[in-house]
Amino acid sequence: MSEVTAVPTHCPYCALQCGMSLRPTGAPELPAEVVDRTDFPVNRGALCGKGRTAPAVLSSRVRLTGPLVRRPDTGALEPASWEEALAAVADGLRRTRADHGPDAVGVFGGGGLTNEKAYTLGKFARLVLGTSQIDYNGRFCMSSAAAAHGRAFGLDRGLPFPLEDIPKTGCVILVGSNLAETMPPALRYLTELKENGGKLIVVDPRRTRTAEHADLHLAPRPGTDLALALGLLHLVVAEGRVDEEFVHERTTGWEAARAGAMSHWPEQVERITGVPVPLLREAVALFGDAATGMVLTARGPEQQSKGTDTVGAWINLCLATGKAGRPLSGYGCLTGQGNGQGGREHGQKADQLPGYRKLDDPAARAHVAGVWGVPPESLPGPGRSAYELLDALGGDVKALLLMGSNPVVSAPRAAHVEGRLRSLDFLAVADVVLSETAALADVVLPVTQWAEETGTMTNLEGRVLLRRRALTPPPGVRSDLEVLHALAGLLGWEKGFSADPEEVFEELRRASAGGPADYAGISYRRIKEEQGVFWPCPETGPGEPEHAGTPRLFLDRFATPDGRARFVPVVHRAAAEETDAEYPVVLTTGRVVSQYQSGAQTRRVEELNAAAPGPFVELHPRLAERLGVAEGEELAVVSRRGRAVAPARITAAIRPDTVFMPFHWAGEGRANTLVNPALDPVSRMPEFKVCAVRLEPLSAGGAIGETPATGGRTSRRSR
């Protein structure tokens, strides 16, 4: 028998979207095996453990293989036909609209959905449901960086340059990213940087595996990254390192930004951040002396109630030193979710239409409405941001359609959000596994996974990629596009919602044409031939050569009306919740290498669970000694919102005033029970990365705060 051909595709997890190939095995327990794909430039064949074990989630042992409907007589989710399940969803959405109006129906999407799914979900919400109440979990990912990017440069793309430029620059400041664990194949870009003589500065309150590679590690107190950036800019000015020519020729707003920085003198910044002044000066020398340089941020500085201003301060540092809008220089954001970039470009975000157009822009509404064949005035206006939408569940929003997200684990103040989900009149969830959120639903729709469907993703570089179908899905499973197509038909829209991904992409191209994220010149053919195409890529006229795409932005001008980058004046302010006598320790959260996001998929892989079996509380030996806590002892972490319990992990790699918890697990170790949902006023990003807690050895007894709602969905049915 001839060998089965491996199909080139991409990893289902993070925003690197590493290239891999899949070879079908025919075995139901492991339907495919991963084959190295060395031709894809982002990872050159390298994969982390999550990528190599990704086919394990395709197994019928761990995934959903048929619809489930909650029976009113038993309150249990039980198998149902697709016809019954879809009819129940359509009836629940229709009934809610009829009784309470279109905005009583909410839609919640995900940063892992393909561009085609994100586009169709946004279109479905605004046309079929007529609701403004749509947002997605990508709001929790990089919305602060996106807002800061837009303010400074007029355009948001995670990286304005390809990853291949990073090893060629002179100095990288990596802020709040443990890239060695969150994106392991990308670590080689930093090791190559150092091999080429470049310098690496890592800013993180923990001495992570990434920080071990740094020439200089700065460990600020969580929530003080804004003060740190301002202190560095102060020293740039004081030491005469400002690139005056660049500032004069290519920026505006410098004087106000300069004044803000000069009010943050080094000794004051040391008191706020805990970073000694000599280290501040060393960082400025390393970055300032380099002919080229980059600042790359991740969730550390972004997931704060002042995340937009914090990122803006780091952008100001780049602009003042002339390290933006030039080759091998600039500010970039390391997007987290697989389609975190594309997912926010094409309409599932509360305030956006496809092509990164603004929903309140009359010209944008007219363009997209024209593609959709509806009057512009029929489109609803902007709705609530992600947390605000979740917080409104059971109140103004009485029914929810949720695709590709698990907010019971991933949302801030998670116990409260779980309670809001339980209070809904109707909840429908489309997912590949029975996640903690799906387990609360009235209807669960089993959908295809990355290996069983074709669709485009946009990675952290702005490179539009094509995931290709390698396997036939189980007979009881349908794609998200098929689900939306069927629901649209049941709700009176017989046309306009194709289940074919390439047809959807062709419509997306037209809808994005002329917008900030212009995909009009990109096609499935080009993506296959060119290993992805960087947006913006406008369509050219007849007889003209195809646009090459745009790997590097801003080299000639920034995307502002006058072509100049904008300094935005910012000043440090405290976190929304500071420590006090009752809650004297700072909690910060993050990821570990062997789990991903809410863990809905990775926690079903034996190999990954063996490496990372459960939550933990990382704390410094001095703090552990003061509490009388031993390694491995169960420890309660208590905030004003609730209580989580996990074993202690004692290490000198973290600040003595800080504890760290990974957020991948549900149950009593759920870190997001604790975190503060205080929102950034611009991005509406919750403050995941800093909140005040106290620690109690388990023998110390209970703690105040919210606890998860108890009971099943039957309690709601009895009303």
Side-chain angles (χ1 to χ4, degrees):
M1 187 173 71
S2 60
E3 184 176 353
V4 177
T5 302
V7 178
T9 187
H10 295 273
C11 176
Y13 294 117
C14 82
L16 283 179
Q17 284 298 285
C18 291
M20 62 163 63
S21 292
L22 287 179
R23 181 181 291 123
T25 65
E29 293 303 302
L30 192 66
E33 61 181 359
V34 172
V35 178
D36 288 346
R37 181 182 168 191
T38 58
D39 64 323
F40 187 63
V42 169
N43 63 308
R44 302 180 207 160
L47 292 170
C48 71
K50 294 187 292 291
R52 292 211 170 273
T53 61
V57 188
L58 298 167
S59 169
S60 57
R61 291 189 301 107
V62 302
R63 66 171 313 161
L64 293 165
T65 56
L68 302 172
V69 172
R70 193 172 299 279
R71 303 300 179 188
D73 52 342
T74 66
L77 284 170
E78 297 180 7
S81 68
W82 268 99
E83 289 70 23
E84 180 187 4
L86 288 169
V89 176
D91 182 61
L93 300 178
R94 184 190 299 111
R95 186 174 62 248
T96 303
R97 286 194 70 216
D99 292 347
H100 304 287
D103 275 357
V105 179
V107 177
F108 200 83
L113 299 179
T114 64
N115 290 316
E116 293 82 357
K117 294 178 187 179
Y119 171 84
T120 303
L121 188 62
K123 181 181 178 183
F124 179 87
R126 295 182 173 104
L127 294 193
V128 178
L129 300 178
T131 183
S132 67
Q133 301 303 300
I134 175 172
D135 211 79
Y136 79 125
N137 63 14
R139 176 78 69 170
F140 302 154
C141 179
M142 55 175 298
S143 56
S144 293
H149 242 142
R151 289 199 310 193
F153 305 131
L155 180 68
D156 161 48
R157 196 179 81 185
L159 294 180
F161 40 72
L163 285 161
E164 67 185 48
D165 284 1
I166 293 175
K168 303 171 187 174
T169 194
C171 181
V172 169
I173 303 179
L174 186 65
V175 189
S177 169
N178 185 11
L179 186 143
E181 295 205 46
T182 58
M183 297 178 173
L187 184 63
R188 69 175 176 83
Y189 291 104
L190 300 182
T191 58
E192 290 174 6
L193 166 77
K194 297 190 66 177
E195 289 168 1
N196 292 338
K199 300 299 182 182
L200 175 63
I201 302 169
V202 171
V203 179
D204 199 301
R206 305 163 62 219
R207 189 162 183 83
T208 62
R209 288 173 53 190
T210 307
E212 293 289 345
H213 291 266
D215 296 283
L216 178 64
H217 173 214
L218 307 180
R221 188 173 190 265
T224 65
D225 310 83
L226 176 52
L228 178 64
L230 286 163
L232 296 179
L233 183 54
H234 178 111
L235 287 171
V236 164
V237 176
E239 296 178 4
R241 296 180 181 274
V242 175
D243 187 330
E244 301 286 358
E245 181 180 358
F246 178 88
V247 168
H248 175 72
E249 293 182 354
R250 299 201 58 191
T251 73
T252 61
W254 167 234
E255 289 305 319
R258 178 185 182 278
M262 296 315 289
S263 67
H264 295 74
W265 56 94
E267 291 76 14
Q268 177 198 32
V269 169
E270 178 179 322
R271 287 195 298 273
I272 295 170
T273 66
V275 178
V277 171
L279 294 187
L280 298 177
R281 294 188 184 279
E282 184 178 352
V284 167
L286 288 173
F287 193 65
D289 289 346
T292 55
M294 300 172 179
V295 172
L296 306 177
T297 69
R299 306 303 79 76
E302 298 164 17
Q303 286 182 326
Q304 298 183 30
S305 61
K306 52 182 181 292
T308 303
D309 283 356
T310 301
V311 173
W314 290 103
I315 291 174
N316 287 349
L317 180 67
C318 290
L319 295 175
T321 55
K323 293 180 171 64
R326 288 173 168 172
L328 306 181
S329 291
Y331 163 77
C333 169
L334 299 175
T335 311
Q337 294 192 77
N339 201 29
Q341 182 67 53
R344 69 181 183 277
E345 294 169 0
H346 297 301
Q348 66 172 333
K349 192 161 171 274
D351 59 350
Q352 285 179 352
L353 289 169
Y356 232 145
R357 289 181 160 91
K358 288 292 185 183
L359 191 52
D360 56 4
D361 176 359
R365 294 170 66 87
H367 175 85
V368 175
V371 173
W372 290 349
V374 299
E377 61 272 15
S378 70
L379 300 180
R384 293 177 171 95
S385 70
Y387 178 76
E388 292 166 303
L389 173 56
L390 295 172
D391 189 42
L393 300 181
D396 295 343
V397 179
K398 299 181 182 302
L400 184 69
L401 173 63
L402 186 147
M403 286 185 159
S405 186
N406 188 19
V408 166
V409 178
S410 64
R413 198 184 173 196
H416 172 74
V417 168
E418 180 180 340
R420 302 322 302 155
L421 285 159
R422 290 180 182 274
S423 72
L424 283 164
D425 292 344
F426 182 78
L427 173 62
V429 174
D431 209 333
V432 300
V433 297
L434 190 66
S435 70
E436 286 77 12
T437 304
L440 302 180
D442 295 281
V443 181
V444 181
L445 303 174
V447 291
T448 51
Q449 301 190 49
W450 96 107
E452 302 159 345
E453 59 188 13
T454 295
T456 60
M457 307 285 281
T458 306
N459 80 344
L460 76 171
E461 308 166 291
R463 187 195 301 253
V464 185
L465 309 166
L466 185 65
R467 284 184 180 171
R468 283 174 261 199
R469 174 169 162 162
L471 302 172
T472 300
V477 173
R478 299 186 183 181
S479 74
D480 297 89
L481 291 180
E482 289 173 325
V483 167
L484 293 171
H485 168 80
L487 289 175
L490 290 171
L491 293 169
W493 288 74
E494 298 295 335
K495 296 181 179 179
F497 290 87
S498 174
D500 180 85
E502 190 163 8
E503 286 184 12
V504 175
F505 189 78
E506 289 301 305
E507 183 178 302
L508 182 157
R509 291 175 62 190
R510 298 196 304 275
S512 73
D518 191 335
Y519 282 35
I522 305 174
S523 64
Y524 276 26
R525 172 191 61 79
R526 286 195 62 185
I527 296 171
K528 293 175 185 177
E529 293 175 354
E530 301 173 30
Q531 297 281 32
V533 181
F534 290 85
W535 72 261
C537 183
E539 190 169 33
T540 55
E544 297 179 9
E546 292 179 320
H547 190 284
T550 315
R552 296 169 181 86
L553 296 170
F554 313 139
L555 296 183
D556 298 318
R557 68 188 311 275
F558 295 97
T560 56
D562 61 4
R564 292 171 173 262
R566 305 184 189 99
F567 281 97
V568 177
V570 294
V571 295
H572 175 70
R573 59 185 186 274
E577 182 178 82
E578 291 287 287
T579 56
D580 57 21
E582 188 176 4
Y583 300 97
V585 178
V586 178
L587 168 70
T588 192
T589 64
R591 287 166 49 187
V592 296
V593 67
S594 293
Q595 299 290 350
Y596 182 71
Q597 301 298 77
S598 76
Q601 295 186 49
T602 52
R603 284 187 276 118
R604 288 166 167 80
V605 179
E606 293 179 5
E607 183 178 327
L608 299 178
N609 282 334
F616 57 87
V617 183
E618 186 177 281
L619 70 162
H620 192 275
R622 293 210 300 269
L623 181 56
E625 182 180 7
R626 192 161 75 244
L627 292 165
V629 176
E631 176 74 20
E633 182 178 350
E634 292 290 297
L635 186 62
V637 184
V638 185
S639 79
R640 290 178 174 86
R641 288 151 296 279
R643 180 174 185 265
V645 177
R649 182 175 293 182
I650 301 172
T651 173
I654 191 168
R655 290 176 56 96
D657 58 3
T658 300
V659 295
F660 167 84
M661 289 187 72
F663 59 79
H664 309 290
W665 287 274
E668 68 175 4
R670 179 174 57 185
N672 281 334
T673 295
L674 306 168
V675 301
N676 191 352
L679 301 180
D680 180 288
V682 179
S683 68
R684 316 308 288 170
M685 167 72 83
E687 191 152 69
F688 286 95
K689 282 296 183 280
V690 50
C691 74
V693 298
R694 67 171 180 263
L695 307 179
E696 301 170 347
L698 203 57
S699 58
I704 63 172
E706 293 182 33
T707 56
T710 58
R713 298 300 300 281
T714 51
S715 61
R716 197 188 69 202
R717 291 286 165 255
S718 65
R719 293 203 302 265

